[in-house]
């Protein structure tokens, strides 16, 4: 469910409505949840800014939140930690390890290449935490 998002909302930045530099590739559900809230620009987010808590599947800040960006960070974390998105990260984690969460799930584990493609943050966090299956090391 991919879409293109006006990073700076057209409602508040009409002059950027048709400016290519204001478009971001986005998940439709994240885009809808964002609305007009100021959030972090995905083009500026560094790899080490966030961590995945494997007990809750919430995204947490790994670095001190800069005071001048506090609102953007808080809005971003609020959106990505909606239970729907936490459940999706849990599903990818469990499927990678071959645990079926539904009778319709395949019996075999999700290949690491598929995890990297479909849930790159989960894949990167499993690698960072040393939690990959032996064949994926």
């Amino acid at each position: 469910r991919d879409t293109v998002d006006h990073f700076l909302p057209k409602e508040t930045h009409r002059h950027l409505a048709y400016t290519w530099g204001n478009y971001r590739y986005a998940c439709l559900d994240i885009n809808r949840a964002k609305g007009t809230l100021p959030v972090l620009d995905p083009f500026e987010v560094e790899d080490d800014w966030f961590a995945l808590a494997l007990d809750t599947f919430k995204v947490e800040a790994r670095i001190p939140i800069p005071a001048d960006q506090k609102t953007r960070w808080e809005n971003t974390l609020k959106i990505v930690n909606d239970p729907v998105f936490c459940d999706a990260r849990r599903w990818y984690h469990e499927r990678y390890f071959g645990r079926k969460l539904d009778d319709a799930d395949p019996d075999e584990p999700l290949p690491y290449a598929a995890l990297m493609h479909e849930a790159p943050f989960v894949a990167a966090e499993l690698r960072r935490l040393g939690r990959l299956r032996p064949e994926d090391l």
Side-chain angles (χ1 to χ4, degrees), residues 96 112 126-137:
Y96 171 72
Y112 185 67
L126 289 175
R127 179 169 294 287
R128 182 182 69 80
L129 296 168
R131 301 274 314 263
L132 295 179
R133 297 184 311 235
E135 64 269 25
D136 295 324
L137 294 174

Side-chain angles (χ1 to χ4, degrees), residues 7 24-25 30 34 38-52 59-66 69 72-77 80 120-121 124-125:
F7 175 67
R24 302 293 183 273
Y25 182 69
I30 294 278
K34 178 183 102 69
V39 295
L40 293 172
D41 186 341
F43 287 160
E44 296 175 0
V45 172
E46 301 283 333
D47 288 342
D48 64 344
W49 285 10
F50 296 102
L52 180 62
V59 177
E60 301 171 341
R62 281 184 65 201
I63 63 170
I65 295 174
Q69 291 289 316
R72 291 182 184 280
W73 278 73
E74 288 173 348
N75 289 341
T76 300
L77 288 168
V80 300
F121 181 62
E125 282 297 281

Side-chain angles (χ1 to χ4, degrees), residues 21 25 48 81 103-104 106-107:
Y25 182 69
D48 64 344
N81 285 328
D103 290 339
D107 290 328

Side-chain angles (χ1 to χ4, degrees), residues 106-118:
D107 290 328
E108 57 281 336
L110 184 67
Y112 185 67
L115 183 67
M116 286 190 311
H117 179 73
E118 296 176 27

Side-chain angles (χ1 to χ4, degrees), residues 56-103:
T56 62
F57 291 91
K58 288 187 174 184
V59 177
E60 301 171 341
R62 281 184 65 201
I63 63 170
I65 295 174
D68 64 332
Q69 291 289 316
K70 185 176 183 197
T71 299
R72 291 182 184 280
W73 278 73
E74 288 173 348
N75 289 341
T76 300
L77 288 168
K78 179 182 176 193
I79 292 166
V80 300
N81 285 328
D82 180 281
V84 169
F85 304 126
C86 293
D87 288 347
R89 288 187 290 270
R90 180 185 311 277
W91 185 88
Y92 279 105
H93 175 272
E94 297 303 304
R95 289 301 307 129
Y96 171 72
F97 288 107
R99 294 187 276 266
K100 290 179 73 151
L101 300 175
D102 186 289
D103 290 339

